[in-house]
PDB file of all heavy atoms in Angstrom:
ATOM      1  N   LEU G 103       4.398  -9.650   0.841  1.00  0.00           N
ATOM      2  CA  LEU G 103       4.115  -9.039   2.139  1.00  0.00           C
ATOM      3  C   LEU G 103       4.880  -9.718   3.270  1.00  0.00           C
ATOM      4  O   LEU G 103       5.251 -10.885   3.174  1.00  0.00           O
ATOM      5  CB  LEU G 103       2.612  -9.116   2.435  1.00  0.00           C
ATOM      6  CG  LEU G 103       1.688  -8.387   1.471  1.00  0.00           C
ATOM      7  CD1 LEU G 103       0.244  -8.616   1.864  1.00  0.00           C
ATOM      8  CD2 LEU G 103       2.010  -6.907   1.416  1.00  0.00           C
ATOM      9  N   GLN G 107       1.769  -8.662   7.714  1.00  0.00           N
ATOM     10  CA  GLN G 107       0.829  -8.174   6.704  1.00  0.00           C
ATOM     11  C   GLN G 107      -0.016  -9.317   6.142  1.00  0.00           C
ATOM     12  O   GLN G 107      -1.202  -9.133   5.879  1.00  0.00           O
ATOM     13  CB  GLN G 107       1.589  -7.455   5.596  1.00  0.00           C
ATOM     14  CG  GLN G 107       2.227  -6.154   6.063  1.00  0.00           C
ATOM     15  CD  GLN G 107       3.252  -5.609   5.094  1.00  0.00           C
ATOM     16  OE1 GLN G 107       3.926  -6.367   4.392  1.00  0.00           O
ATOM     17  NE2 GLN G 107       3.402  -4.300   5.068  1.00  0.00           N
ATOM     18  N   LYS G 110      -2.832 -10.018   8.374  1.00  0.00           N
ATOM     19  CA  LYS G 110      -3.914  -9.052   8.169  1.00  0.00           C
ATOM     20  C   LYS G 110      -4.749  -9.433   6.956  1.00  0.00           C
ATOM     21  O   LYS G 110      -5.979  -9.317   6.976  1.00  0.00           O
ATOM     22  CB  LYS G 110      -3.334  -7.637   8.009  1.00  0.00           C
ATOM     23  CG  LYS G 110      -4.388  -6.573   7.785  1.00  0.00           C
ATOM     24  CD  LYS G 110      -5.373  -6.475   8.928  1.00  0.00           C
ATOM     25  CE  LYS G 110      -6.392  -5.386   8.646  1.00  0.00           C
ATOM     26  NZ  LYS G 110      -7.536  -5.440   9.541  1.00  0.00           N
ATOM     27  N   VAL G 111      -4.114  -9.923   5.886  1.00  0.00           N
ATOM     28  CA  VAL G 111      -4.846 -10.397   4.704  1.00  0.00           C
ATOM     29  C   VAL G 111      -5.791 -11.517   5.120  1.00  0.00           C
ATOM     30  O   VAL G 111      -6.976 -11.519   4.762  1.00  0.00           O
ATOM     31  CB  VAL G 111      -3.873 -10.880   3.599  1.00  0.00           C
ATOM     32  CG1 VAL G 111      -4.599 -11.684   2.525  1.00  0.00           C
ATOM     33  CG2 VAL G 111      -3.157  -9.697   2.971  1.00  0.00           C
ATOM     34  N   VAL G 145      -6.647  -3.084  -2.234  1.00  0.00           N
ATOM     35  CA  VAL G 145      -6.361  -1.795  -1.590  1.00  0.00           C
ATOM     36  C   VAL G 145      -5.352  -1.984  -0.455  1.00  0.00           C
ATOM     37  O   VAL G 145      -4.392  -1.225  -0.333  1.00  0.00           O
ATOM     38  CB  VAL G 145      -7.664  -1.151  -1.060  1.00  0.00           C
ATOM     39  CG1 VAL G 145      -7.377   0.042  -0.173  1.00  0.00           C
ATOM     40  CG2 VAL G 145      -8.561  -0.753  -2.223  1.00  0.00           C
ATOM     41  N   PHE G 146      -5.557  -3.014   0.369  1.00  0.00           N
ATOM     42  CA  PHE G 146      -4.649  -3.263   1.484  1.00  0.00           C
ATOM     43  C   PHE G 146      -3.232  -3.514   0.976  1.00  0.00           C
ATOM     44  O   PHE G 146      -2.276  -2.925   1.486  1.00  0.00           O
ATOM     45  CB  PHE G 146      -5.136  -4.455   2.323  1.00  0.00           C
ATOM     46  CG  PHE G 146      -4.166  -4.832   3.400  1.00  0.00           C
ATOM     47  CD1 PHE G 146      -4.072  -4.074   4.554  1.00  0.00           C
ATOM     48  CD2 PHE G 146      -3.323  -5.928   3.254  1.00  0.00           C
ATOM     49  CE1 PHE G 146      -3.160  -4.400   5.549  1.00  0.00           C
ATOM     50  CE2 PHE G 146      -2.416  -6.267   4.237  1.00  0.00           C
ATOM     51  CZ  PHE G 146      -2.328  -5.501   5.389  1.00  0.00           C
ATOM     52  N   VAL G 147      -3.082  -4.388  -0.016  1.00  0.00           N
ATOM     53  CA  VAL G 147      -1.753  -4.722  -0.534  1.00  0.00           C
ATOM     54  C   VAL G 147      -1.085  -3.483  -1.126  1.00  0.00           C
ATOM     55  O   VAL G 147       0.091  -3.227  -0.896  1.00  0.00           O
ATOM     56  CB  VAL G 147      -1.837  -5.865  -1.577  1.00  0.00           C
ATOM     57  CG1 VAL G 147      -0.515  -6.046  -2.312  1.00  0.00           C
ATOM     58  CG2 VAL G 147      -2.247  -7.166  -0.886  1.00  0.00           C
ATOM     59  N   ALA G 148      -1.850  -2.681  -1.859  1.00  0.00           N
ATOM     60  CA  ALA G 148      -1.301  -1.470  -2.470  1.00  0.00           C
ATOM     61  C   ALA G 148      -0.847  -0.468  -1.409  1.00  0.00           C
ATOM     62  O   ALA G 148       0.113   0.281  -1.624  1.00  0.00           O
ATOM     63  CB  ALA G 148      -2.324  -0.828  -3.387  1.00  0.00           C
ATOM     64  N   ASP G 149      -1.521  -0.454  -0.258  1.00  0.00           N
ATOM     65  CA  ASP G 149      -1.192   0.484   0.804  1.00  0.00           C
ATOM     66  C   ASP G 149      -0.084   0.003   1.730  1.00  0.00           C
ATOM     67  O   ASP G 149       0.398   0.766   2.566  1.00  0.00           O
ATOM     68  CB  ASP G 149      -2.434   0.800   1.647  1.00  0.00           C
ATOM     69  CG  ASP G 149      -3.424   1.672   0.907  1.00  0.00           C
ATOM     70  OD1 ASP G 149      -3.056   2.264  -0.130  1.00  0.00           O
ATOM     71  OD2 ASP G 149      -4.584   1.755   1.349  1.00  0.00           O
ATOM     72  N   CYS G 150       0.324  -1.257   1.608  1.00  0.00           N
ATOM     73  CA  CYS G 150       1.356  -1.803   2.490  1.00  0.00           C
ATOM     74  C   CYS G 150       2.707  -1.182   2.168  1.00  0.00           C
ATOM     75  O   CYS G 150       3.098  -1.134   0.998  1.00  0.00           O
ATOM     76  CB  CYS G 150       1.457  -3.324   2.347  1.00  0.00           C
ATOM     77  SG  CYS G 150       0.162  -4.196   3.188  1.00  0.00           S
ATOM     78  N   PRO G 151       3.422  -0.727   3.200  1.00  0.00           N
ATOM     79  CA  PRO G 151       4.768  -0.208   2.952  1.00  0.00           C
ATOM     80  C   PRO G 151       5.698  -1.348   2.563  1.00  0.00           C
ATOM     81  O   PRO G 151       5.496  -2.493   2.958  1.00  0.00           O
ATOM     82  CB  PRO G 151       5.164   0.399   4.295  1.00  0.00           C
ATOM     83  CG  PRO G 151       4.305  -0.267   5.305  1.00  0.00           C
ATOM     84  CD  PRO G 151       3.044  -0.666   4.582  1.00  0.00           C
ATOM     85  N   ASN G 152       6.700  -1.023   1.788  1.00  0.00           N
ATOM     86  CA  ASN G 152       7.738  -1.986   1.384  1.00  0.00           C
ATOM     87  C   ASN G 152       7.217  -3.128   0.535  1.00  0.00           C
ATOM     88  O   ASN G 152       7.831  -4.182   0.505  1.00  0.00           O
ATOM     89  CB  ASN G 152       8.464  -2.557   2.611  1.00  0.00           C
ATOM     90  CG  ASN G 152       9.101  -1.462   3.427  1.00  0.00           C
ATOM     91  OD1 ASN G 152       9.618  -0.501   2.888  1.00  0.00           O
ATOM     92  ND2 ASN G 152       9.049  -1.603   4.734  1.00  0.00           N
ATOM     93  N   ASN G 153       6.081  -2.955  -0.138  1.00  0.00           N
ATOM     94  CA  ASN G 153       5.664  -4.035  -1.021  1.00  0.00           C
ATOM     95  C   ASN G 153       6.301  -3.796  -2.389  1.00  0.00           C
ATOM     96  O   ASN G 153       6.736  -2.718  -2.711  1.00  0.00           O
ATOM     97  CB  ASN G 153       4.140  -4.190  -1.097  1.00  0.00           C
ATOM     98  CG  ASN G 153       3.451  -3.102  -1.876  1.00  0.00           C
ATOM     99  OD1 ASN G 153       4.016  -2.508  -2.774  1.00  0.00           O
ATOM    100  ND2 ASN G 153       2.217  -2.817  -1.534  1.00  0.00           N
ATOM    101  N   CYS G 154       6.353  -4.824  -3.166  1.00  0.00           N
ATOM    102  CA  CYS G 154       7.023  -4.745  -4.467  1.00  0.00           C
ATOM    103  C   CYS G 154       6.028  -4.733  -5.617  1.00  0.00           C
ATOM    104  O   CYS G 154       6.391  -5.046  -6.749  1.00  0.00           O
ATOM    105  CB  CYS G 154       7.975  -5.925  -4.623  1.00  0.00           C
ATOM    106  SG  CYS G 154       9.293  -5.933  -3.402  1.00  0.00           S
ATOM    107  N   THR G 155       4.776  -4.382  -5.340  1.00  0.00           N
ATOM    108  CA  THR G 155       3.773  -4.467  -6.397  1.00  0.00           C
ATOM    109  C   THR G 155       3.994  -3.434  -7.495  1.00  0.00           C
ATOM    110  O   THR G 155       3.489  -3.605  -8.595  1.00  0.00           O
ATOM    111  CB  THR G 155       2.344  -4.307  -5.835  1.00  0.00           C
ATOM    112  OG1 THR G 155       2.275  -3.079  -5.113  1.00  0.00           O
ATOM    113  CG2 THR G 155       1.987  -5.472  -4.946  1.00  0.00           C
ATOM    114  N   GLU G 156       4.765  -2.382  -7.231  1.00  0.00           N
ATOM    115  CA  GLU G 156       5.019  -1.406  -8.289  1.00  0.00           C
ATOM    116  C   GLU G 156       5.801  -2.046  -9.433  1.00  0.00           C
ATOM    117  O   GLU G 156       5.702  -1.626 -10.571  1.00  0.00           O
ATOM    118  CB  GLU G 156       5.822  -0.203  -7.767  1.00  0.00           C
ATOM    119  CG  GLU G 156       5.093   0.626  -6.738  1.00  0.00           C
ATOM    120  CD  GLU G 156       5.197   0.038  -5.345  1.00  0.00           C
ATOM    121  OE1 GLU G 156       6.150  -0.668  -5.031  1.00  0.00           O
ATOM    122  OE2 GLU G 156       4.269   0.275  -4.539  1.00  0.00           O
TER     123      GLU G 156
END
Side-chain angles (χ1 to χ4, degrees):
L103 298 177
Q107 292 166 329
K110 180 60 180 167
V111 166
V145 169
F146 174 77
V147 169
D149 288 345
C150 283
N152 301 323
N153 73 28
C154 297
T155 56
E156 295 82 26

